[in-house]
Amino acid sequence: MDEVAARLSRREFLRAAAYATAGASLLRLGPLVSWAGAAAAKKGTLSFADIGVGDPGGDWSKFTNATGWGVNLVAIGNAPSQILNVLIAGGGKGVYDVINIVGGMQKPLVENDLIIPIATSRLPNWGKDAYISEFLSSGKPGFEFIGYKGKIYGVPTVLQGDSFAYLPEKTGQLDSYAALFDPKWKGFVALEDNFTTAGQKTALYLKTNKLATIKDPANMTPGEIRTVIDFLIEKKKEGQFRVIWTSFEQAVDLLTRREVYVMDCWEPMVFAARKKGVSAVYARPKEGYLLWAMAAYIVKNPQRPADREKGAYDLLNFMLDGWYGAKITLLRGYMTNPQAVAYAKANAGDFSAAEAAEVARIHDNVRSKFRLGGTWQNRWPTYVEQYESEWARFKAAPSK
Amino acid sequence: MGTVQGSTQQITLSRRLSGIARYVLLAIPLLFLAVFFLLPLGLTILVGFFERAGFWIRPAFTLAAYQAFLGGPRLFVLQRSLFVAAEVTVLALALAYPMAYFLSMHVRPQVTRTVLLLFTVPFVVNYVIRNFSWAYLLSRTGPVNRLLEALHLTAGSLDWLLYSDFSVLVGLISSYMPFMIYPLWLALAGVDRRLIEASWVLGAPPLLTFLRVTLPLSIPGIFTALIFGFVGSFGESAVPIILGGVGYQLMGNTITSALDVLNYPLAAAMSSIVVVVMLLFLAAWYLLFDVPAFLGKIVRWRV
Amino acid sequence: MKRRVGVGLVAWIYVFSILLFLYLPLVPPILFSLAPVAGGNAPTVHWYGELWRNPVLVTSIKTSLLTGILTALLTPPLGLLAAMGVRELRAPRAVLLLLLMPLFIPGVSMGLGNAFLFRLLNIPPSLWTILIAHVLWALPFAFLIILTAMTTFDPVYLEAAYVHGAGRLRAFLDVELALIAPGITGAATFSFILSLNETVRTGLVQGPLNTVQTYIWSTYLQVGLSPTIYALMSLLILLTVALVLVIRPMMARRAIRVTL
């Protein structure tokens, strides 16, 4: 009996020891997690929140080799709530160094004391970016995407103009947002679940075709919003829309499966569909484009040491660089910065001739959209609450 | 004599000490829940009455958020959520019960365990990807439609397979039904076979035995299953996004949407309504059924 | 006899149809994971190798595993204490209610409440905040499973242990814990799976860490799923099926031999 008890307790002891060892090695895994992806980082790791567009395939080696900083990319959602919740409710202020999202969020970000103004003199690449002076400088509508009350807060990382996609094999050539509401494609149309894209494009369509009195599609009054939503609900009741999509993946599949023929969406979805062998086209509507830019902000953190802040500036500068720009253009299909085109052409080691041509083609295409104009997306309109509640009314309305 | 007394005293002392230690130990999970569960819920209910101040909130007592919810289009979302959750739960129960019955009554425990584990395998796959697969399978040009056409069961592709109430049901049932099998099986496996045999011996036909003996004894399991199914579907937000039609929303979606514009009081108010609805269900469950009795002898020792 | 076999067959066909229904959505990810490399047509296993070259994904896999393991280690003891609390404490009904309540709260509400609380207490988001959200979610499940296991345990065994001179702790460790061990491992497995799948709550308290779920969700929304992600899912499916069909029965057989 005693022997058994002794053996038992020895076994228990051994088991406990095994658990303790396992536990200790787990605790050591903790730092490992935050250090992964920063192999050559000598100075530390910058915390970089991104909506998924700014990830250069996980390869930060050029930045790390040049500056000694590693980058820990955290993928976050693009909804304003996600971003602000991460920073406000989630306490992300003390955590993130740089946050890269669709621009135009300066008002809520600055008024919540979440970001700091950027000293552009600390960014050698700022002056080399002709897109900034051409489309985003103070006084131009694009300034809304990076500045607030005369100060610069965001570094533009991606520029783009949105319209809609269609399948010419089913519809022939299309050149107006009217196609989204054309009874000919009833049941074969999709919209994005987003009042600042689908809502604003509808407003642009109604205004330019004089179907409604809307002063500024980018910042509507509550009455104007109601008009737009009433129009959409009317169409929804007729069974015009097949689905309101919410994700990149879903939108691409709607095209590749020919689930819909006309779809309000982003251009990279068309690129993705073409790669899968579907000849989708991104329309050049006569009403113009919905123009927008992504911006990288430095998150305000008074406790951040000076060398870390310099690291954050280095990261912003890196994102205005040729290699990063070309890489993001290739991966996502967006225009980035002017140096990207030249870099891709000049560095055959990094980019093949075909890739360099693709970068140049995308940049030319997007630049021409900006010249055509249209309406600048407004991520935070004055009556944003009415936008949201009216959009909820649209979604809750019966279909067919 | 004296030594014996001393040791008795020692025993009582150690008993008492271990009593305190025991209470401290047992209070750990309760403390954990009080801080990380009750407190946040209390905060949420409070925020529902706050007013917006810029992009944040300010303590106040206003019913504005509740008025916005009850007087707006979102009330429809609450109705739909209640209806859809009930529908899913009943259908899933109808699918799961016969299976749980068969596994508990007619299959060796060894095999049953493997089968039950097979039901958990799909859950290691991300639910976004699982539901997204359904969108592929059910699309106008997808495999299901092509199969139906190849079998000459349908002429053209069926539109209502995807982006419809049907696809939402498929997504929700496949997400929550497996959770329901487990409590059903547990309850059925726990039914004392001697009662069933007694019923047979007394000459009751199998159906009557089932209705009079097995079914009533498995009711606690049915209710647990109903709750697993109902709560899951009621709070779901991914399925409507991926498989729902034109703007299909359940409560989870409409709360997220209010958060989108930082309308914390509205989000908190809707959240509170959801919480209250759920607590009503919990109360009903608790009052209608003797939960402690179901959960067993453990409780009866003390009560 | 013949009729019984027929009924059994029908029942098995039914069970397997339901399983087929549940496994159907697992087929496309496996097919998509074999997508040809740019320029080719033939299916490849290229993306399975690519998986380990995406540092963001690898880091999120590590975070998910770490959180899952910690959740599986921390939740069952809490659940066990809670289950014993129901038995030992004064107000078992109140304890029971409190423990079951988290089951009734949708993820968005819970995540938001937690985020409010962490902000109020000035707790920065980290692995620990994720862990708290996950343990909170897994606890009622673990508690129910352990409580169910306890109901099958006859306290007579404890009395027997006391009679033979075992102390409370010894009786508990050697007799009760041994007998309810399946419940505890079940609770750990469940906690692990629940943690691996959690997205909504995590998204609100994640801070600088991605789990596989939050990574997939944001990729899904913003840039599209890649064959790499499908490869990861396929690996998970294969591993789990292998675990259920091969390793478990093997272990069970060994256990039988040992008892014999």
Side-chain angles (χ1 to χ4, degrees):
Chain A
M1 187 70 195
D2 279 356
E3 213 187 281
V4 173
R7 214 188 304 152
L8 253 179
S9 62
R10 194 163 54 236
R11 204 164 66 203
E12 270 163 26
F13 172 78
L14 285 175
R15 207 187 302 153
Y19 285 148
T21 323
S25 58
L26 270 174
L27 285 179
R28 253 178 276 130
L29 249 173
L32 208 149
V33 167
S34 52
W35 282 93
K42 292 188 280 296
K43 293 184 182 159
T45 309
L46 296 168
S47 206
F48 176 60
D50 178 87
I51 58 171
V53 175
D55 177 8
D59 180 9
W60 296 98
S61 57
K62 281 203 157 52
F63 175 67
T64 304
N65 293 338
T67 64
W69 283 99
V71 175
N72 177 35
L73 184 139
V74 183
I76 58 167
N78 184 41
S81 67
Q82 279 258 345
I83 293 155
L84 288 150
N85 280 333
V86 161
L87 292 177
I88 298 175
K93 256 174 97 171
V95 172
Y96 297 111
D97 296 298
V98 172
I99 177 164
N100 186 35
I101 55 180
V102 175
M105 290 287 289
Q106 297 80 239
K107 185 176 156 69
L109 290 173
V110 172
E111 290 187 1
N112 277 298
D113 208 19
L114 297 170
I115 52 173
I116 57 171
I118 285 172
T120 53
S121 56
R122 294 176 72 175
L123 300 170
N125 280 328
W126 183 272
K128 296 179 197 163
D129 192 338
Y131 296 160
I132 299 175
S133 48
E134 195 179 346
F135 307 119
L136 307 172
S137 56
S138 186
K140 301 216 160 93
F143 183 71
E144 295 298 319
F145 278 80
I146 57 169
Y148 184 61
K149 293 192 172 161
K151 280 188 202 159
I152 304 274
Y153 286 90
V155 164
T157 50
V158 153
L159 288 96
Q160 178 65 306
D162 287 356
S163 63
F164 65 93
Y166 62 97
L167 300 175
E169 65 191 52
K170 304 277 184 189
T171 64
Q173 288 294 309
L174 298 175
D175 67 346
S176 162
Y177 291 104
L180 291 168
F181 313 110
D182 190 335
K184 259 195 276 181
W185 321 124
K186 187 189 280 184
F188 287 88
V189 176
L191 296 183
E192 181 181 356
D193 184 2
N194 185 336
F195 50 82
T196 69
T197 56
Q200 204 177 323
K201 283 179 205 172
T202 309
L204 178 67
Y205 160 73
L206 292 175
K207 180 188 163 77
T208 44
N209 292 289
K210 306 210 163 43
L211 296 166
T213 334
I214 292 166
K215 196 161 164 268
D216 180 8
N219 204 5
M220 292 185 272
T221 64
E224 291 168 341
I225 304 164
R226 183 168 288 275
T227 309
V228 170
I229 298 299
D230 283 343
F231 171 78
L232 284 172
I233 288 178
E234 196 60 33
K235 289 290 163 191
K236 185 179 173 184
K237 274 186 189 147
E238 289 164 12
Q240 181 70 11
F241 311 118
R242 170 72 168 151
V243 63
I244 300 182
W245 62 264
T246 36
S247 73
F248 190 97
E249 192 71 19
Q250 200 180 3
V252 173
D253 282 17
L254 287 171
L255 288 178
T256 54
R257 291 173 199 154
R258 297 173 174 85
E259 189 78 25
V260 299
Y261 305 153
V262 186
M263 177 167 73
D264 147 52
C265 69
W266 320 336
E267 190 169 23
M269 292 157 183
V270 171
F271 297 145
R274 278 197 210 137
K275 265 188 202 149
K276 293 182 179 174
V278 174
S279 57
V281 172
Y282 206 58
R284 193 176 173 83
K286 58 180 194 218
E287 294 93 349
Y289 287 93
L290 178 76
L291 304 165
W292 57 275
M294 268 180 76
Y297 306 96
I298 297 183
V299 178
K300 181 167 183 175
N301 177 6
Q303 266 99 55
R304 184 183 291 123
D307 68 321
R308 197 174 183 84
E309 183 170 297
K310 178 162 187 316
Y313 268 102
D314 287 345
L315 181 59
L316 292 187
N317 192 55
F318 178 73
M319 293 171 84
L320 290 172
D321 217 322
W323 180 83
Y324 180 83
K327 193 89 191 164
I328 297 297
T329 297
L330 275 178
L331 284 170
R332 320 275 175 233
Y334 294 125
M335 181 164 93
T336 49
N337 61 65
Q339 294 189 70
V341 181
Y343 185 96
K345 211 172 184 178
N347 291 274
D350 291 335
F351 299 97
S352 69
E355 286 176 328
E358 175 77 359
V359 172
R361 199 189 57 71
I362 291 172
H363 276 246
D364 285 346
N365 175 30
V366 178
R367 245 199 335 259
S368 81
K369 294 179 181 182
F370 275 82
R371 299 215 167 100
L372 180 71
T375 178
W376 283 80
Q377 187 187 10
N378 188 349
R379 291 258 285 160
W380 206 259
T382 313
Y383 298 102
V384 66
E385 263 174 81
Q386 273 86 345
Y387 274 79
E388 194 271 339
S389 64
E390 284 290 291
W391 193 252
R393 184 164 69 92
F394 168 55
K395 286 202 284 185
S399 171
K400 203 159 34 180
Chain B
M1 196 65 189
T3 45
V4 172
Q5 232 168 15
S7 82
T8 320
Q9 237 161 12
Q10 231 172 351
I11 287 169
T12 1
L13 189 68
S14 82
R15 275 260 166 94
R16 207 184 305 145
L17 269 178
S18 81
I20 295 167
R22 210 172 73 224
Y23 278 95
V24 170
L25 214 58
L26 298 181
I28 291 175
L30 301 184
L31 205 68
F32 178 80
L33 285 176
V35 174
F36 295 114
F37 174 73
L38 289 181
L39 209 56
L41 281 192
L43 273 175
T44 307
I45 289 171
L46 217 59
V47 171
F49 297 105
F50 282 12
E51 54 184 23
R52 303 187 63 184
F55 301 102
W56 194 226
I57 38 176
R58 183 168 48 217
F61 183 79
T62 163
L63 293 171
Y66 284 91
Q67 276 158 358
F69 174 71
L70 297 170
R74 294 175 203 269
L75 190 59
F76 166 72
V77 179
L78 177 64
Q79 289 162 359
R80 175 182 246 173
S81 300
L82 286 169
F83 179 74
V84 168
E87 202 178 5
V88 166
T89 314
V90 170
L91 286 173
L93 183 71
L95 286 172
Y97 194 91
M99 206 153 40
Y101 181 84
F102 172 65
L103 289 175
S104 64
M105 299 288 168
H106 301 289
V107 178
R108 273 186 300 136
Q110 195 77 22
V111 180
T112 304
R113 231 168 284 147
T114 305
V115 174
L116 285 177
L117 269 169
L118 281 176
F119 279 99
T120 61
V121 172
F123 287 91
V124 298
V125 175
N126 178 288
Y127 71 116
V128 172
I129 290 180
R130 250 186 297 128
N131 286 305
F132 191 62
S133 286
W134 276 122
Y136 162 70
L137 294 166
L138 298 174
S139 63
R140 274 170 176 157
T141 54
V144 173
N145 258 319
R146 265 181 293 170
L147 183 72
L148 289 175
E149 280 171 69
L151 295 173
H152 298 289
L153 290 169
T154 52
S157 58
L158 299 174
D159 280 2
W160 54 264
L161 284 183
L162 183 59
Y163 304 130
S164 58
D165 294 339
F166 174 77
S167 53
V168 172
L169 282 183
V170 168
L172 289 175
I173 289 176
S174 62
S175 297
Y176 294 103
M177 190 245 292
F179 279 112
M180 296 165 66
I181 295 172
Y182 203 63
L184 287 173
W185 171 77
L186 272 179
L188 284 164
V191 171
D192 196 330
R193 297 306 155 88
R194 284 170 298 188
L195 293 176
I196 298 173
E197 279 156 22
S199 171
W200 286 343
V201 169
L202 290 173
L207 186 65
L208 196 66
T209 304
F210 172 74
L211 289 176
R212 286 276 174 78
V213 182
T214 320
L215 187 66
L217 285 171
S218 68
I219 279 182
I222 294 179
F223 229 76
T224 312
L226 289 180
I227 279 162
F228 278 13
F230 191 89
V231 176
S233 350
F234 192 69
E236 178 62 53
S237 53
V239 170
I241 283 182
I242 300 169
L243 297 170
V246 194
Y248 199 107
Q249 292 194 93
L250 296 179
M251 281 312 279
N253 306 99
T254 203
I255 293 174
T256 316
S257 170
L259 280 178
D260 263 349
V261 290
L262 307 183
N263 198 340
Y264 293 108
L266 180 59
M270 292 191 289
S271 216
S272 305
I273 288 173
V274 169
V275 170
V276 168
V277 169
M278 288 305 165
L279 293 185
L280 285 178
F281 276 99
L282 179 63
W285 183 51
Y286 208 80
L287 293 175
L288 285 175
F289 296 89
D290 193 354
V291 179
F294 165 51
L295 296 171
K297 307 162 219 169
I298 310 169
V299 186
R300 244 181 288 141
W301 293 349
R302 254 331 258 244
V303 185
Chain C
M1 198 64 206
K2 212 171 187 181
R3 205 187 126 248
R4 279 199 65 84
V5 170
V7 171
L9 188 68
V10 170
W12 275 118
I13 290 175
Y14 178 66
V15 170
F16 278 99
S17 323
I18 301 264
L19 276 173
L20 191 73
F21 167 70
L22 293 174
Y23 277 70
L24 205 56
L26 306 191
V27 179
I30 297 177
L31 294 181
F32 297 157
S33 75
L34 302 172
V37 189
N41 298 316
T44 59
V45 288
H46 170 82
W47 307 105
Y48 288 81
E50 205 59 27
L51 191 62
W52 314 106
R53 279 190 281 279
N54 179 342
V56 182
L57 187 55
V58 170
T59 316
S60 62
I61 293 173
K62 282 184 192 157
T63 312
S64 273
L65 282 179
L66 189 62
T67 321
I69 291 168
L70 286 176
T71 309
L73 286 176
L74 290 177
T75 319
L78 277 178
L80 179 65
L81 286 175
M84 289 169 66
V86 168
R87 194 170 67 191
E88 312 266 327
L89 291 181
R90 275 285 153 77
R93 286 174 156 261
V95 174
L96 199 63
L97 265 183
L98 177 62
L99 277 154
L100 295 180
M101 263 163 73
L103 275 181
F104 288 78
I105 308 302
V108 187
S109 309
M110 207 56 248
L112 186 69
N114 278 347
F116 276 142
L117 179 78
F118 291 141
R119 194 191 174 196
L120 205 75
L121 297 179
N122 253 331
I123 301 173
S126 66
L127 193 71
W128 303 110
T129 54
I130 297 180
L131 197 61
I132 287 172
H134 285 200
V135 171
L136 198 57
W137 172 224
L139 183 56
F141 291 93
F143 164 74
L144 270 181
I145 293 169
I146 293 173
L147 199 61
T148 319
M150 274 184 161
T151 56
T152 61
F153 166 75
D154 197 328
V156 163
Y157 292 119
L158 277 183
E159 297 298 334
Y162 298 148
V163 168
H164 285 89
R168 277 195 99 94
L169 184 67
R170 181 124 299 266
F172 170 74
L173 285 178
D174 287 359
V175 181
E176 181 164 9
L177 200 59
L179 284 170
I180 62 167
I184 291 174
T185 49
T189 315
F190 229 81
S191 307
F192 184 73
I193 291 179
L194 285 169
S195 164
L196 274 196
N197 275 315
E198 218 306 305
T199 316
V200 182
R201 296 167 180 81
T202 318
L204 287 158
V205 297
Q206 71 183 127
L209 295 169
N210 275 316
T211 63
V212 175
Q213 306 296 326
T214 60
Y215 176 73
I216 290 180
W217 185 236
S218 65
T219 317
Y220 174 73
L221 290 178
Q222 294 300 324
V223 294
L225 300 174
S226 60
T228 324
I229 288 175
Y230 289 122
L232 174 66
M233 289 300 123
S234 308
L235 276 183
L236 271 174
I237 298 169
L238 296 178
L239 273 177
T240 327
V241 173
L243 210 68
V244 173
L245 291 182
V246 184
I247 301 172
R248 253 190 59 91
M250 258 168 61
M251 276 165 66
R253 258 201 297 284
R254 238 185 51 202
I256 290 166
R257 254 210 312 280
V258 170
T259 26
L260 282 176

